[in-house]
Every structure is written in structure tokens, then in C-alpha cells.
Amino acid sequence: MATLVQRQFAVLSFITAFLFVMTGVFSLGGNRLAITSSAIQQAASHISSLAILNWMGQEIPALSATVQASGDARSNSVTGFLFQLATNIQPGDLRSLLGRELPGMVTTEDARFVVQGKGASLADFYVEYPTRVADTSQLVPVVEPATQEAAKQEEEKPAPAPVTKPVSTGGKKIVFVYNSHNRESWFSETKPVGTAVDHPTRNISLVSQRLSEELNERGIGSEVSKDDIYQQLLNKKMDYALSYAQSLQVVKAAVEKNRELHYFFDLHRDTAPRETTTVTIKGKTYARVMFVIGKRNKSYEKNEAFATDLHNLMEKMYPELSRGVMEKGGKTDHGEYNQSISSGSMLMEIGGTGNTLQESLNTAEALADVFAAYYLQAEKVSKTESQEPAKR
């Protein structure tokens, strides 16, 4: 018995020393190795009970003699388990190695289309944050002054007429628009720095501002966040991957101030190619919309139904403007996107880096039209149900 305890102690001591050394090496190398609970769960899910009994049987001969274990040698490998735990790469599955680098190799555990718009493909799968945060002080506008002035004049054109039927939220602010990645910009506005296409002012937050204004013009009470999430992360020396955690604090603060808020729209700019993210409708060019739902929200089906309703309505009002509704976050992504705050929460990808600010602003106007029509329908249904006599 003493020998068994000594051997177990020696093994545990070796593993502890190994982990300590590897942690130090990765820290000195500037790498960001994070073994999450989801990674452990995914790795452990591939280990059979028989494999565990086999391992235990190496120390307990009686158990080894009793259990006739058989199976795939890879699933019974301790080294295979430790390798998958450390790298999140499953031995024998090439997709787990190439999925983040080659389009089309992403596993269906990460993302799937609930409703697939025309031309949409999992090859356009979007990784939510770059590997490094760009230094935005180096970013400079690409657009020449004359072009900027022309774009400004285009932006100042009167907005299209709102939906013909009256919509009103009775003075209540029910929509909150914000940006977890508020500095996402376009090639037409700035030069890329590394993998980042960001700008401190000419960015996706302008689209959120326009959407909020257009909703208010259509009778939908809306407010927009002015928070610079990127700068807040820098001030707190937090990693860019924590953008959603930071924006969640903004959303919670907004709810504390206004309990009437029910719809929360987090606007982003995608990285898919221009031919995928652009559509022309009646001579006007728009940045296409992708609705993204996080599956780690326990009530994600309600958010998914809401997104699907908007997609279907958008297809009727602005054909092909929607790229579809996508589920994300099975095991290896953020997967929640602050959507547990409300069944009316949604993340929307507006166009891509190849689109222009004006095309994205056009989409904000169209999106306001679609949501106003959606709200009008929902209001009618609500009134009809309230007028029905109570069942006895």
C-alpha cells in the first residue's frame, strides 16, 4: 500500500512540475494559452469509461483482471488526452487542426445556419476577435478629403419615409443599440494594422447611431450607447477577447436606468468578402445582414425565433439583404453574446471590411423599416390576445 501511495505521489509531483514549467515557458514567450472548462469537457468526452478503468487497473491489478476493456487505442491514450487538453486539437480529426485556418473546415459544433440566406456559406465563418489588439494610434483614414466631403453630403440626405402605418411605443425607449467591438471599420475608411481594420471614430458605432435615429423617426423609442468599449479595455488593461464581458456591464447599466428596454442590438462589421456582403436593391447598394445567435444562452431558442422572424420579414421587404440566421458557440466560441439579458437580444453583422460606411448606413435605415414592421405586427397580436375573453 505504501508503495502504491509513493508511486501516485511521484506521478502527481511530476505532472505538477511539468505544468509549472510549461506555464512559465508560455508566459515568457508571450503566448496566450488558456485551458477552459469547455476544452476540458470536449477532451474528456472522447475518453471512454473502459479507458479510465484500464488506467486505474495499472495500479489496481484486481480491477484490471476483472474488467475486459477493449476499444480504440487512441481513446485509451493518456498522452492523446493530455495533448487534446493542451491544444484543443483532437487526435485523428484533421478538422480540429485546420478548422480555424481554412474556410469550410469549421466543424458544425461551432456554427450552423438556422436559416441560410442566398450566397451564405460556413466558409464565411467569422472569428469574433483578432489574435492581437491593433494600436489604433497608427490608423489613418484612406479616404481623401474631397471624397470624405462627398460621403458626408450623401450621409446628410433626408432619410426615406418611414413605414406608412403608424407605429408608437408610447414614448417608451424599448430598444438599446450598442457595439461590443465599437472600432470595427472598413477599408474605405482606414488602413489595416495587422489583422485589425479599426478606426477610433469612423467605425460601426456610426451605424448604430443611424439605426437608433431611424427607429425613433419611425415611432420606435430607442437609445444608443456612446461607450468606447475598446478604450475601456485598454484603460483596464483587459484582453480584447473580454469585449463582451465589458459590453455586458454597459447593457446592465442601461437596464438599471430604464426597465422598459427589451430589444438589445449589438452591431458588428464582418470580415467576409465584399461579393458576399453586398446587395443592390432598386438601384441602392446595401451591406448585407447576418443575424447571429449564441447557443450558450439557455433560452437561445427565443432569440433564434426572433431573429428568424426578422429574417423572413426582411426577405419580403428587402430581398437578399439578409445573409441568414446563424447559431454559434457550441463549444469553442463566446457563445452567449450577452443574449441572456432578453429574448429580444441579437448580434448583427452589418456588411464586411470591403463595404463602405454609406452602404452600412443604408442598411441601418432598411433595418429600422423591418423592425418597425415587425413591432407593428407584434403589437397587433398583443392587442388581439388582450381583447380575447378570459377562458373559464
Side-chain angles (χ1 to χ4, degrees), residues 383-392:
K383 287 183 179 179
T384 301
E385 291 178 349
S386 64
Q387 290 173 0
E388 291 180 354
K391 296 181 180 180
R392 296 182 180 178

Side-chain angles (χ1 to χ4, degrees), residues 221-233:
S222 171
E223 56 184 274
V224 62
S225 171
K226 301 293 185 180
D227 289 84
D228 188 342
I229 302 297
Y230 188 101
Q231 189 60 50
Q232 292 177 7
L233 292 174

Side-chain angles (χ1 to χ4, degrees), residues 81-289:
F81 168 71
L82 293 176
F83 177 77
Q84 185 176 349
L85 180 61
T87 64
N88 207 24
I89 297 174
Q90 181 183 344
D93 187 356
L94 187 61
R95 295 174 303 170
S96 63
L97 174 64
L98 303 179
R100 291 295 181 181
E101 303 299 331
L102 298 181
M105 292 294 290
V106 179
T107 65
T108 54
E109 286 183 316
D110 294 324
R112 78 172 186 90
F113 278 105
V114 179
V115 182
Q116 190 166 351
K118 184 176 180 179
S121 169
L122 282 180
D124 302 323
F125 181 77
Y126 177 59
V127 179
E128 280 296 329
Y129 53 89
T131 55
R132 292 183 180 274
V133 181
D135 181 3
T136 54
S137 64
Q138 301 178 31
L139 297 174
V140 293
V142 174
V143 184
E144 297 298 328
T147 308
Q148 288 182 345
E149 184 63 28
K152 183 178 180 181
Q153 292 176 359
E154 178 68 19
E155 294 169 17
E156 291 176 351
K157 287 183 178 180
V163 291
T164 54
K165 295 182 180 180
V167 182
S168 175
T169 58
K172 298 178 181 178
K173 299 285 187 180
I174 64 168
V175 179
F176 185 72
V177 189
Y178 69 104
N179 308 100
S180 292
H181 296 162
N182 62 288
R183 294 196 181 185
E184 290 179 330
S185 189
W186 308 268
F187 291 135
S188 61
E189 298 295 330
T190 187
K191 292 180 180 179
V193 176
T195 59
V197 184
D198 295 343
H199 194 279
T201 57
R202 306 286 289 182
N203 54 47
I204 191 66
S205 65
L206 297 177
V207 183
S208 293
Q209 179 68 39
R210 176 62 64 86
L211 174 58
S212 181
E213 292 171 354
E214 295 294 330
L215 286 172
N216 285 321
E217 286 190 11
R218 287 158 177 76
I220 305 293
S222 171
E223 56 184 274
V224 62
S225 171
K226 301 293 185 180
D227 289 84
D228 188 342
I229 302 297
Y230 188 101
Q231 189 60 50
Q232 292 177 7
L233 292 174
L234 291 180
N235 293 343
K236 296 181 179 181
K237 297 182 180 180
M238 296 169 60
D239 191 273
Y240 191 61
L242 297 175
S243 297
Y244 291 100
Q246 186 63 27
S247 64
L248 179 59
Q249 302 307 312
V250 172
V251 172
K252 287 182 176 180
V255 173
E256 286 296 319
K257 293 180 181 179
N258 179 11
R259 294 289 181 177
E260 302 291 344
L261 291 174
H262 177 70
Y263 299 98
F264 300 86
F265 299 153
D266 186 4
L267 270 54
H268 291 249
R269 181 269 300 139
D270 206 343
T271 56
R274 178 176 172 81
E275 57 268 22
T276 300
T277 62
T278 311
V279 65
T280 300
I281 304 172
K282 296 182 179 180
K284 193 171 185 178
T285 306
Y286 298 84
R288 299 181 71 194
V289 181

